[in-house]
Amino acid sequence: MNYRQLKIFAVVCMVFDHVVRIFPLTNFFAPLGDFFWNCGWNGLSDWLMNDFTLYLMFIGRLAAPIFLYCITLGFLHTSNVWRYLRRILITAVIAQVPYTLFDLAESRLYNIEGDWRETGLNILFTLTLGLLVLIVHEELKKRKLIIFSPLVLAAATWLAVQLSMEGGKGYIFLIFIYYICRNCTRWQKVLLFIPAIMLSRYGLVWWVIKSIGTEEFTGALRNCVLNVLGNYFGMLVTLTYNGEKGKTGKGFQFFMYAFYPAHFALLALIGFLRPPLL
């Protein structure tokens, strides 16, 4: 896939991930699950409502790693990196209100009392910080001070966690991994991405390890498989990039920047209009 196709694919996966938070898959498949149950096909009903819905959720987990990769590509190919960073940051600020409303709308659907102060910062803030890390890394490299790059990465990750940025614990790290592995072969990336994704999601991996032998293990493992393996699959999708840009004119760029806050606003409106699910 070229750069344009990667972005479109990531957007489709992202929209799916957000839509199913307002229209849960279990509710969508419930009538069919009940039909199978009434027919005596209990196993098929359980598979549909549990395993199949889990498999579909993998679609949404592909989005973030692809967007992270696109930030690396943007850094490598943009003619003005500071203007590129400014565009992302401005969009992040604009998107924060609809992002917060979307989070509150989802909470309302499940009869959870939401608090806008508990909503973290959207992923564009994370992408902005990750891009800034690459800028600083290259500047340190020019000054032969590259030894300080890990400290910059650690500081940025700490800041992302403190500010509750989406994916803050690991997404900035993955942007950095994409960048330093950019000249590796495809199979080298396949292997290097494994420890990278494990480290980026160390909290989930540790949760599985410490819950072995407890009642939490099944839920922890399910969560880990979805979010760790799902993100790894997303990293593998980036290996399909063919080095071409595709048609990414100003119209396409404007649409991509505008679509992010717009789709949150629309889904938030739908969420507030829908009756509670519970």
Side-chain angles (χ1 to χ4, degrees), residues 96-121:
Q96 187 59 31
V97 171
Y99 177 80
T100 302
L101 292 173
F102 170 76
D103 186 62
L104 295 176
E106 182 187 16
S107 297
R108 173 189 168 276
L109 288 174
Y110 292 93
N111 286 318
I112 299 173
E113 187 175 349
D115 186 344
W116 66 270
R117 291 167 295 187
E118 296 179 358
T119 301
L121 298 177

PDB file of all heavy atoms in Angstrom, residues 96-121:
ATOM      1  N   GLN A  96     -10.114  17.953  20.960  1.00  0.00           N
ATOM      2  CA  GLN A  96     -10.229  17.546  22.355  1.00  0.00           C
ATOM      3  C   GLN A  96     -11.652  17.660  22.894  1.00  0.00           C
ATOM      4  O   GLN A  96     -12.104  16.799  23.648  1.00  0.00           O
ATOM      5  CB  GLN A  96      -9.269  18.364  23.231  1.00  0.00           C
ATOM      6  CG  GLN A  96      -9.190  17.891  24.675  1.00  0.00           C
ATOM      7  CD  GLN A  96      -8.745  16.437  24.798  1.00  0.00           C
ATOM      8  OE1 GLN A  96      -7.979  15.938  23.978  1.00  0.00           O
ATOM      9  NE2 GLN A  96      -9.253  15.748  25.810  1.00  0.00           N
ATOM     10  N   VAL A  97     -12.371  18.706  22.514  1.00  0.00           N
ATOM     11  CA  VAL A  97     -13.753  18.861  22.999  1.00  0.00           C
ATOM     12  C   VAL A  97     -14.656  17.744  22.474  1.00  0.00           C
ATOM     13  O   VAL A  97     -15.326  17.064  23.264  1.00  0.00           O
ATOM     14  CB  VAL A  97     -14.320  20.246  22.629  1.00  0.00           C
ATOM     15  CG1 VAL A  97     -15.826  20.302  22.944  1.00  0.00           C
ATOM     16  CG2 VAL A  97     -13.595  21.331  23.416  1.00  0.00           C
ATOM     17  N   PRO A  98     -14.720  17.486  21.153  1.00  0.00           N
ATOM     18  CA  PRO A  98     -15.553  16.359  20.690  1.00  0.00           C
ATOM     19  C   PRO A  98     -15.056  15.013  21.208  1.00  0.00           C
ATOM     20  O   PRO A  98     -15.851  14.108  21.451  1.00  0.00           O
ATOM     21  CB  PRO A  98     -15.472  16.439  19.166  1.00  0.00           C
ATOM     22  CG  PRO A  98     -14.310  17.321  18.857  1.00  0.00           C
ATOM     23  CD  PRO A  98     -14.184  18.261  20.009  1.00  0.00           C
ATOM     24  N   TYR A  99     -13.750  14.865  21.405  1.00  0.00           N
ATOM     25  CA  TYR A  99     -13.187  13.632  21.979  1.00  0.00           C
ATOM     26  C   TYR A  99     -13.712  13.418  23.389  1.00  0.00           C
ATOM     27  O   TYR A  99     -14.091  12.304  23.767  1.00  0.00           O
ATOM     28  CB  TYR A  99     -11.666  13.738  21.972  1.00  0.00           C
ATOM     29  CG  TYR A  99     -10.928  12.583  22.599  1.00  0.00           C
ATOM     30  CD1 TYR A  99     -10.718  11.397  21.903  1.00  0.00           C
ATOM     31  CD2 TYR A  99     -10.409  12.682  23.892  1.00  0.00           C
ATOM     32  CE1 TYR A  99     -10.017  10.336  22.472  1.00  0.00           C
ATOM     33  CE2 TYR A  99      -9.710  11.632  24.468  1.00  0.00           C
ATOM     34  CZ  TYR A  99      -9.513  10.468  23.758  1.00  0.00           C
ATOM     35  OH  TYR A  99      -8.819   9.425  24.329  1.00  0.00           O
ATOM     36  N   THR A 100     -13.755  14.495  24.177  1.00  0.00           N
ATOM     37  CA  THR A 100     -14.274  14.419  25.545  1.00  0.00           C
ATOM     38  C   THR A 100     -15.770  14.131  25.542  1.00  0.00           C
ATOM     39  O   THR A 100     -16.259  13.312  26.328  1.00  0.00           O
ATOM     40  CB  THR A 100     -13.993  15.734  26.287  1.00  0.00           C
ATOM     41  OG1 THR A 100     -12.583  15.995  26.294  1.00  0.00           O
ATOM     42  CG2 THR A 100     -14.490  15.662  27.722  1.00  0.00           C
ATOM     43  N   LEU A 101     -16.507  14.787  24.664  1.00  0.00           N
ATOM     44  CA  LEU A 101     -17.951  14.547  24.567  1.00  0.00           C
ATOM     45  C   LEU A 101     -18.240  13.100  24.170  1.00  0.00           C
ATOM     46  O   LEU A 101     -19.191  12.485  24.668  1.00  0.00           O
ATOM     47  CB  LEU A 101     -18.578  15.511  23.555  1.00  0.00           C
ATOM     48  CG  LEU A 101     -18.602  16.988  23.956  1.00  0.00           C
ATOM     49  CD1 LEU A 101     -19.101  17.845  22.796  1.00  0.00           C
ATOM     50  CD2 LEU A 101     -19.473  17.195  25.196  1.00  0.00           C
ATOM     51  N   PHE A 102     -17.421  12.563  23.270  1.00  0.00           N
ATOM     52  CA  PHE A 102     -17.572  11.167  22.866  1.00  0.00           C
ATOM     53  C   PHE A 102     -17.377  10.239  24.057  1.00  0.00           C
ATOM     54  O   PHE A 102     -18.137   9.285  24.261  1.00  0.00           O
ATOM     55  CB  PHE A 102     -16.565  10.844  21.766  1.00  0.00           C
ATOM     56  CG  PHE A 102     -16.448   9.379  21.436  1.00  0.00           C
ATOM     57  CD1 PHE A 102     -17.427   8.738  20.692  1.00  0.00           C
ATOM     58  CD2 PHE A 102     -15.364   8.643  21.884  1.00  0.00           C
ATOM     59  CE1 PHE A 102     -17.319   7.382  20.396  1.00  0.00           C
ATOM     60  CE2 PHE A 102     -15.240   7.290  21.589  1.00  0.00           C
ATOM     61  CZ  PHE A 102     -16.222   6.657  20.847  1.00  0.00           C
ATOM     62  N   ASP A 103     -16.379  10.510  24.866  1.00  0.00           N
ATOM     63  CA  ASP A 103     -16.108   9.701  26.047  1.00  0.00           C
ATOM     64  C   ASP A 103     -17.271   9.784  27.038  1.00  0.00           C
ATOM     65  O   ASP A 103     -17.687   8.773  27.621  1.00  0.00           O
ATOM     66  CB  ASP A 103     -14.814  10.181  26.708  1.00  0.00           C
ATOM     67  CG  ASP A 103     -14.396   9.302  27.863  1.00  0.00           C
ATOM     68  OD1 ASP A 103     -14.122   8.107  27.631  1.00  0.00           O
ATOM     69  OD2 ASP A 103     -14.331   9.801  29.001  1.00  0.00           O
ATOM     70  N   LEU A 104     -17.827  10.970  27.222  1.00  0.00           N
ATOM     71  CA  LEU A 104     -18.965  11.152  28.125  1.00  0.00           C
ATOM     72  C   LEU A 104     -20.217  10.465  27.581  1.00  0.00           C
ATOM     73  O   LEU A 104     -21.005   9.896  28.343  1.00  0.00           O
ATOM     74  CB  LEU A 104     -19.232  12.637  28.336  1.00  0.00           C
ATOM     75  CG  LEU A 104     -18.140  13.433  29.054  1.00  0.00           C
ATOM     76  CD1 LEU A 104     -18.499  14.912  29.096  1.00  0.00           C
ATOM     77  CD2 LEU A 104     -17.927  12.899  30.462  1.00  0.00           C
ATOM     78  N   ALA A 105     -20.390  10.517  26.259  1.00  0.00           N
ATOM     79  CA  ALA A 105     -21.548   9.867  25.644  1.00  0.00           C
ATOM     80  C   ALA A 105     -21.478   8.360  25.831  1.00  0.00           C
ATOM     81  O   ALA A 105     -22.493   7.708  26.111  1.00  0.00           O
ATOM     82  CB  ALA A 105     -21.613  10.216  24.156  1.00  0.00           C
ATOM     83  N   GLU A 106     -20.293   7.791  25.680  1.00  0.00           N
ATOM     84  CA  GLU A 106     -20.126   6.356  25.898  1.00  0.00           C
ATOM     85  C   GLU A 106     -20.433   5.985  27.341  1.00  0.00           C
ATOM     86  O   GLU A 106     -21.115   4.981  27.604  1.00  0.00           O
ATOM     87  CB  GLU A 106     -18.705   5.934  25.542  1.00  0.00           C
ATOM     88  CG  GLU A 106     -18.471   4.429  25.702  1.00  0.00           C
ATOM     89  CD  GLU A 106     -17.025   4.035  25.517  1.00  0.00           C
ATOM     90  OE1 GLU A 106     -16.154   4.923  25.568  1.00  0.00           O
ATOM     91  OE2 GLU A 106     -16.756   2.826  25.335  1.00  0.00           O
ATOM     92  N   SER A 107     -19.948   6.779  28.286  1.00  0.00           N
ATOM     93  CA  SER A 107     -20.222   6.515  29.704  1.00  0.00           C
ATOM     94  C   SER A 107     -21.725   6.560  29.982  1.00  0.00           C
ATOM     95  O   SER A 107     -22.258   5.717  30.701  1.00  0.00           O
ATOM     96  CB  SER A 107     -19.497   7.544  30.579  1.00  0.00           C
ATOM     97  OG  SER A 107     -18.100   7.453  30.431  1.00  0.00           O
ATOM     98  N   ARG A 108     -22.394   7.524  29.389  1.00  0.00           N
ATOM     99  CA  ARG A 108     -23.839   7.666  29.586  1.00  0.00           C
ATOM    100  C   ARG A 108     -24.590   6.430  29.099  1.00  0.00           C
ATOM    101  O   ARG A 108     -25.556   5.985  29.740  1.00  0.00           O
ATOM    102  CB  ARG A 108     -24.337   8.905  28.836  1.00  0.00           C
ATOM    103  CG  ARG A 108     -25.867   9.054  28.831  1.00  0.00           C
ATOM    104  CD  ARG A 108     -26.310  10.155  27.896  1.00  0.00           C
ATOM    105  NE  ARG A 108     -27.747  10.087  27.697  1.00  0.00           N
ATOM    106  CZ  ARG A 108     -28.336   9.308  26.810  1.00  0.00           C
ATOM    107  NH1 ARG A 108     -27.600   8.507  26.036  1.00  0.00           N
ATOM    108  NH2 ARG A 108     -29.652   9.309  26.688  1.00  0.00           N
ATOM    109  N   LEU A 109     -24.150   5.854  27.981  1.00  0.00           N
ATOM    110  CA  LEU A 109     -24.823   4.677  27.435  1.00  0.00           C
ATOM    111  C   LEU A 109     -24.795   3.503  28.412  1.00  0.00           C
ATOM    112  O   LEU A 109     -25.692   2.653  28.393  1.00  0.00           O
ATOM    113  CB  LEU A 109     -24.178   4.266  26.112  1.00  0.00           C
ATOM    114  CG  LEU A 109     -24.455   5.176  24.913  1.00  0.00           C
ATOM    115  CD1 LEU A 109     -23.644   4.731  23.707  1.00  0.00           C
ATOM    116  CD2 LEU A 109     -25.948   5.178  24.569  1.00  0.00           C
ATOM    117  N   TYR A 110     -23.773   3.464  29.257  1.00  0.00           N
ATOM    118  CA  TYR A 110     -23.652   2.368  30.219  1.00  0.00           C
ATOM    119  C   TYR A 110     -24.017   2.809  31.633  1.00  0.00           C
ATOM    120  O   TYR A 110     -23.656   2.159  32.612  1.00  0.00           O
ATOM    121  CB  TYR A 110     -22.224   1.820  30.192  1.00  0.00           C
ATOM    122  CG  TYR A 110     -21.892   1.107  28.901  1.00  0.00           C
ATOM    123  CD1 TYR A 110     -21.290   1.789  27.848  1.00  0.00           C
ATOM    124  CD2 TYR A 110     -22.216  -0.234  28.712  1.00  0.00           C
ATOM    125  CE1 TYR A 110     -20.991   1.146  26.655  1.00  0.00           C
ATOM    126  CE2 TYR A 110     -21.934  -0.882  27.525  1.00  0.00           C
ATOM    127  CZ  TYR A 110     -21.317  -0.187  26.503  1.00  0.00           C
ATOM    128  OH  TYR A 110     -21.040  -0.825  25.318  1.00  0.00           O
ATOM    129  N   ASN A 111     -24.744   3.949  31.703  1.00  0.00           N
ATOM    130  CA  ASN A 111     -25.194   4.491  32.993  1.00  0.00           C
ATOM    131  C   ASN A 111     -24.039   4.735  33.954  1.00  0.00           C
ATOM    132  O   ASN A 111     -24.149   4.519  35.170  1.00  0.00           O
ATOM    133  CB  ASN A 111     -26.226   3.558  33.651  1.00  0.00           C
ATOM    134  CG  ASN A 111     -27.583   3.628  32.972  1.00  0.00           C
ATOM    135  OD1 ASN A 111     -28.056   4.722  32.628  1.00  0.00           O
ATOM    136  ND2 ASN A 111     -28.205   2.484  32.758  1.00  0.00           N
ATOM    137  N   ILE A 112     -22.917   5.174  33.396  1.00  0.00           N
ATOM    138  CA  ILE A 112     -21.752   5.532  34.211  1.00  0.00           C
ATOM    139  C   ILE A 112     -21.680   7.059  34.253  1.00  0.00           C
ATOM    140  O   ILE A 112     -21.774   7.725  33.222  1.00  0.00           O
ATOM    141  CB  ILE A 112     -20.455   4.968  33.613  1.00  0.00           C
ATOM    142  CG1 ILE A 112     -20.518   3.436  33.552  1.00  0.00           C
ATOM    143  CG2 ILE A 112     -19.241   5.427  34.411  1.00  0.00           C
ATOM    144  CD1 ILE A 112     -19.349   2.808  32.834  1.00  0.00           C
ATOM    145  N   GLU A 113     -21.528   7.587  35.446  1.00  0.00           N
ATOM    146  CA  GLU A 113     -21.452   9.036  35.590  1.00  0.00           C
ATOM    147  C   GLU A 113     -20.072   9.514  35.151  1.00  0.00           C
ATOM    148  O   GLU A 113     -19.076   9.327  35.860  1.00  0.00           O
ATOM    149  CB  GLU A 113     -21.717   9.442  37.030  1.00  0.00           C
ATOM    150  CG  GLU A 113     -21.816  10.948  37.222  1.00  0.00           C
ATOM    151  CD  GLU A 113     -22.196  11.335  38.644  1.00  0.00           C
ATOM    152  OE1 GLU A 113     -22.573  10.446  39.416  1.00  0.00           O
ATOM    153  OE2 GLU A 113     -22.108  12.537  38.959  1.00  0.00           O
ATOM    154  N   GLY A 114     -19.998  10.092  33.989  1.00  0.00           N
ATOM    155  CA  GLY A 114     -18.715  10.536  33.464  1.00  0.00           C
ATOM    156  C   GLY A 114     -18.296  11.883  34.004  1.00  0.00           C
ATOM    157  O   GLY A 114     -19.116  12.673  34.472  1.00  0.00           O
ATOM    158  N   ASP A 115     -17.004  12.135  33.966  1.00  0.00           N
ATOM    159  CA  ASP A 115     -16.433  13.400  34.413  1.00  0.00           C
ATOM    160  C   ASP A 115     -15.438  13.856  33.352  1.00  0.00           C
ATOM    161  O   ASP A 115     -14.455  13.168  33.083  1.00  0.00           O
ATOM    162  CB  ASP A 115     -15.734  13.220  35.761  1.00  0.00           C
ATOM    163  CG  ASP A 115     -15.245  14.538  36.345  1.00  0.00           C
ATOM    164  OD1 ASP A 115     -15.164  15.536  35.595  1.00  0.00           O
ATOM    165  OD2 ASP A 115     -14.947  14.574  37.552  1.00  0.00           O
ATOM    166  N   TRP A 116     -15.705  14.994  32.740  1.00  0.00           N
ATOM    167  CA  TRP A 116     -14.851  15.463  31.644  1.00  0.00           C
ATOM    168  C   TRP A 116     -13.402  15.651  32.087  1.00  0.00           C
ATOM    169  O   TRP A 116     -12.479  15.529  31.289  1.00  0.00           O
ATOM    170  CB  TRP A 116     -15.387  16.768  31.072  1.00  0.00           C
ATOM    171  CG  TRP A 116     -15.321  17.938  32.029  1.00  0.00           C
ATOM    172  CD1 TRP A 116     -16.271  18.328  32.907  1.00  0.00           C
ATOM    173  CD2 TRP A 116     -14.227  18.854  32.173  1.00  0.00           C
ATOM    174  NE1 TRP A 116     -15.856  19.436  33.614  1.00  0.00           N
ATOM    175  CE2 TRP A 116     -14.597  19.787  33.175  1.00  0.00           C
ATOM    176  CE3 TRP A 116     -12.986  18.992  31.565  1.00  0.00           C
ATOM    177  CZ2 TRP A 116     -13.768  20.816  33.579  1.00  0.00           C
ATOM    178  CZ3 TRP A 116     -12.150  20.019  31.970  1.00  0.00           C
ATOM    179  CH2 TRP A 116     -12.537  20.926  32.963  1.00  0.00           C
ATOM    180  N   ARG A 117     -13.193  15.873  33.392  1.00  0.00           N
ATOM    181  CA  ARG A 117     -11.833  16.065  33.894  1.00  0.00           C
ATOM    182  C   ARG A 117     -11.038  14.763  33.924  1.00  0.00           C
ATOM    183  O   ARG A 117      -9.806  14.784  34.036  1.00  0.00           O
ATOM    184  CB  ARG A 117     -11.879  16.680  35.299  1.00  0.00           C
ATOM    185  CG  ARG A 117     -12.376  18.132  35.313  1.00  0.00           C
ATOM    186  CD  ARG A 117     -12.709  18.596  36.705  1.00  0.00           C
ATOM    187  NE  ARG A 117     -13.839  17.846  37.250  1.00  0.00           N
ATOM    188  CZ  ARG A 117     -14.433  18.146  38.403  1.00  0.00           C
ATOM    189  NH1 ARG A 117     -13.992  19.167  39.126  1.00  0.00           N
ATOM    190  NH2 ARG A 117     -15.452  17.424  38.840  1.00  0.00           N
ATOM    191  N   GLU A 118     -11.746  13.645  33.827  1.00  0.00           N
ATOM    192  CA  GLU A 118     -11.066  12.352  33.834  1.00  0.00           C
ATOM    193  C   GLU A 118     -10.747  11.840  32.428  1.00  0.00           C
ATOM    194  O   GLU A 118     -10.096  10.811  32.273  1.00  0.00           O
ATOM    195  CB  GLU A 118     -11.922  11.320  34.573  1.00  0.00           C
ATOM    196  CG  GLU A 118     -12.115  11.639  36.051  1.00  0.00           C
ATOM    197  CD  GLU A 118     -12.980  10.621  36.760  1.00  0.00           C
ATOM    198  OE1 GLU A 118     -13.455   9.681  36.079  1.00  0.00           O
ATOM    199  OE2 GLU A 118     -13.200  10.760  37.980  1.00  0.00           O
ATOM    200  N   THR A 119     -11.221  12.548  31.420  1.00  0.00           N
ATOM    201  CA  THR A 119     -10.920  12.168  30.039  1.00  0.00           C
ATOM    202  C   THR A 119      -9.504  12.610  29.682  1.00  0.00           C
ATOM    203  O   THR A 119      -9.145  13.770  29.879  1.00  0.00           O
ATOM    204  CB  THR A 119     -11.915  12.814  29.059  1.00  0.00           C
ATOM    205  OG1 THR A 119     -13.240  12.412  29.393  1.00  0.00           O
ATOM    206  CG2 THR A 119     -11.604  12.395  27.628  1.00  0.00           C
ATOM    207  N   GLY A 120      -8.716  11.694  29.197  1.00  0.00           N
ATOM    208  CA  GLY A 120      -7.341  12.037  28.843  1.00  0.00           C
ATOM    209  C   GLY A 120      -7.266  12.835  27.558  1.00  0.00           C
ATOM    210  O   GLY A 120      -8.290  13.201  26.959  1.00  0.00           O
ATOM    211  N   LEU A 121      -6.055  13.118  27.128  1.00  0.00           N
ATOM    212  CA  LEU A 121      -5.838  13.838  25.877  1.00  0.00           C
ATOM    213  C   LEU A 121      -5.865  12.872  24.698  1.00  0.00           C
ATOM    214  O   LEU A 121      -5.401  11.733  24.810  1.00  0.00           O
ATOM    215  CB  LEU A 121      -4.491  14.567  25.917  1.00  0.00           C
ATOM    216  CG  LEU A 121      -4.338  15.639  27.006  1.00  0.00           C
ATOM    217  CD1 LEU A 121      -2.936  16.233  26.974  1.00  0.00           C
ATOM    218  CD2 LEU A 121      -5.385  16.735  26.849  1.00  0.00           C
TER     219      LEU A 121
END
